[in-house]
Amino acid sequence: ITGNANGVSGETQNIKMGAGIVLAGTYLTLQNGTEVHLDTLNRGFVMELGQISSIEDRVAKVIIDNSKMTVENISGNASNGAHWEVLNGAELTVKDIGTHGLSTDTLLVDNATVSVDGAGWLGIYGTDISLKNNANVSVVNSGTSEAFAASPSYTGKGAVQLKGSTPQLSIEDSTL
């Protein structure tokens, strides 16, 4: 998607409906100043495996390049996986989320800003998180859900958690 503002809203009679964007082994690229706003939905992104033979190519990918995306007022996850890249002055805002804010397989923030405010479970939950070239990542007011607090898997956590058997966190000339 290139240029102009685009929005998806799912509120119908105070019931949060559906997912904003569903990707199955495909890419979504926002570039050249595109602005996308997902608001008042059950889930922001649903990431499904595609039918391609290579597992790496089956995982969905979201690239936000010199653009803005806001995902807010979501009763479930803002994202439930995939490869995310936030690049070149891009801004990703995740706000007021019922469960996980940004749940990813990989997250690369390169000279860009990611802000998570108000995730009921984890603010950022990923296997491989890399911040570089003046990336600025902020996670506040997360881990506040009563269901989250009662889960032994998440006790004492809330902002950022790595997952999987070989998780990686890399921070180079950036702020978390």
Side-chain angles (χ1 to χ4, degrees):
I1 301 174
T2 301
N4 297 331
N6 298 281
V8 176
S9 180
E11 188 168 47
T12 303
Q13 298 175 347
N14 296 321
I15 300 171
K16 294 182 180 180
M17 307 290 292
I21 297 175
V22 178
L23 298 176
T26 56
Y27 286 32
L28 171 65
T29 301
L30 308 180
Q31 58 191 12
N32 300 328
T34 300
E35 294 186 25
V36 172
H37 188 195
L38 304 179
D39 189 1
T40 316
L41 298 161
N42 181 280
R43 293 183 184 175
F45 281 83
V46 173
M47 310 302 194
E48 300 174 355
L49 291 177
Q51 300 301 313
I52 302 166
S53 60
S54 162
I55 188 66
E56 181 63 26
D57 291 335
R58 292 173 64 192
V59 178
K61 188 173 198 176
V62 177
I63 301 168
I64 306 170
D65 185 352
N66 190 29
S67 294
K68 294 181 182 181
M69 174 173 281
T70 301
V71 183
E72 64 181 337
N73 301 312
I74 307 296
S75 58
N77 292 355
S79 166
N80 73 329
H83 299 298
W84 283 75
E85 295 181 5
V86 186
L87 314 167
N88 302 318
E91 297 176 20
L92 171 59
T93 301
V94 177
K95 186 174 180 186
D96 297 329
I97 307 299
T99 57
H100 293 314
L102 193 57
S103 178
T104 70
D105 292 302
T106 63
L107 172 62
L108 168 62
V109 183
D110 186 346
N111 189 30
T113 301
V114 173
S115 173
V116 179
D117 184 356
W121 288 44
L122 297 168
I124 298 176
Y125 187 41
T127 302
D128 186 350
I129 300 172
S130 179
L131 315 178
K132 61 185 190 177
N133 298 321
N134 297 311
N136 184 8
V137 176
S138 170
V139 180
V140 297
N141 302 316
S142 295
T144 57
S145 165
E146 289 181 19
F148 174 81
S151 173
S153 298
Y154 301 113
T155 301
K157 300 172 182 161
V160 177
Q161 182 177 331
L162 298 173
K163 62 181 176 177
S165 59
T166 57
Q168 296 181 356
L169 172 63
S170 170
I171 302 173
E172 178 183 323
D173 298 323
S174 297
T175 304
L176 172 61

